[in-house]
Amino acid sequence: MCNNFTTSNWIELIGIAFSLLTSIVAIWISIKTLKQNSLMIEESTRPYVIICGKVINFQDPTFYLVLKNHGNSGATITDIKCDCDLSKYSYSKKHIPFSHFSDTFIAPNQSFICALNKNDLFKNVHKIQFEIRYKSSNKKYCEKFSINLDSFTDLIQPRASTKDKELKIISYAIQDLVEKHL
């Protein structure tokens, strides 16, 4: 049968093969592009639940742990683990920060804060490790964070003071708000 092929038949066959190959490559590129676009959309719309440290200085510097969803969709926290016994540094020994957060929904930009006794904490602990597990729709996420407490001890925030204690507290609070917006 191959002997009966004319030159135009061979050209047509090569053209068909080339068209088939081009179509397969185009379909493969389209599938890869769709998968990448899907990942990019997920990355831009997924929840990003983090935990970090924050110092706020009204009258006395206070150290807070802040759990916040920085993502664009809500998440349900399934578990939070900490390598440090936070009950030792809680202002209420009956309440352990973030210990009852299982099945807690956190909306985009929502945050939960917890003040810790910074004097004891900073004296005894230098680093806190957290692992947060959460889910959104059918996706499960796990984030690990390390908070270096020593980095907060190097931050010096001078305050202007006033003659009366009440005015001093108000002055510190306003200065702290201004700093947070810089």
Side-chain angles (χ1 to χ4, degrees):
M1 182 166 155
C2 288
N3 294 338
N4 296 338
F5 273 14
T6 64
T7 305
S8 67
N9 292 117
W10 281 107
I11 292 172
E12 285 178 23
L13 190 61
I14 291 171
I16 291 170
F18 185 72
S19 293
L20 178 65
L21 182 63
T22 304
S23 298
I24 290 171
V25 169
I27 290 170
W28 180 78
I29 290 172
S30 296
I31 290 171
K32 291 292 275 183
T33 302
L34 287 173
K35 284 183 181 179
Q36 185 145 9
N37 286 345
S38 177
L39 286 174
M40 287 172 41
I41 289 169
E42 180 190 344
E43 290 293 314
S44 68
T45 59
R46 68 166 269 205
Y48 285 96
V49 179
I50 66 143
I51 193 160
C52 64
K54 195 110 173 151
V55 174
I56 296 178
N57 189 356
F58 292 125
Q59 182 176 6
D60 223 7
T62 305
F63 181 76
Y64 292 91
L65 288 175
V66 180
L67 176 72
K68 184 171 183 177
N69 181 357
H70 286 279
N72 290 320
S73 60
T76 301
I77 296 170
T78 55
D79 190 32
I80 298 177
K81 292 181 184 173
C82 180
D83 71 341
C84 173
D85 182 4
L86 295 177
S87 66
K88 294 179 182 177
Y89 310 106
S90 175
Y91 284 104
S92 170
K93 300 304 177 199
K94 294 188 299 183
H95 299 98
I96 302 168
F98 308 119
S99 62
H100 297 99
F101 266 68
S102 208
D103 295 325
T104 299
F105 181 80
I106 184 167
N109 291 317
Q110 183 181 8
S111 62
F112 296 96
I113 61 171
C114 176
L116 295 177
N117 183 331
K118 72 170 175 32
N119 294 333
D120 292 341
L121 179 67
F122 283 47
K123 187 184 337 172
N124 299 317
V125 180
H126 298 284
K127 189 181 281 190
I128 303 175
Q129 307 266 353
F130 284 96
E131 181 178 289
I132 303 171
R133 294 183 185 276
Y134 56 97
K135 62 184 177 181
S136 178
S137 300
N138 295 329
K139 298 278 186 173
K140 293 182 180 182
Y141 303 97
C142 179
E143 310 283 350
K144 294 181 181 181
F145 302 97
S146 179
I147 300 173
N148 179 1
L149 298 177
D150 292 335
S151 66
F152 291 96
T153 62
D154 297 332
L155 303 175
I156 298 171
Q157 299 171 337
R159 298 283 184 235
S161 63
T162 57
K163 191 174 183 182
D164 298 320
K165 190 174 186 177
E166 292 79 20
L167 291 176
K168 181 179 179 181
I169 294 169
I170 293 169
S171 173
Y172 278 15
I174 291 171
Q175 291 174 64
D176 194 66
L177 288 172
V178 169
E179 286 173 2
K180 300 296 185 238
H181 286 89
L182 293 179

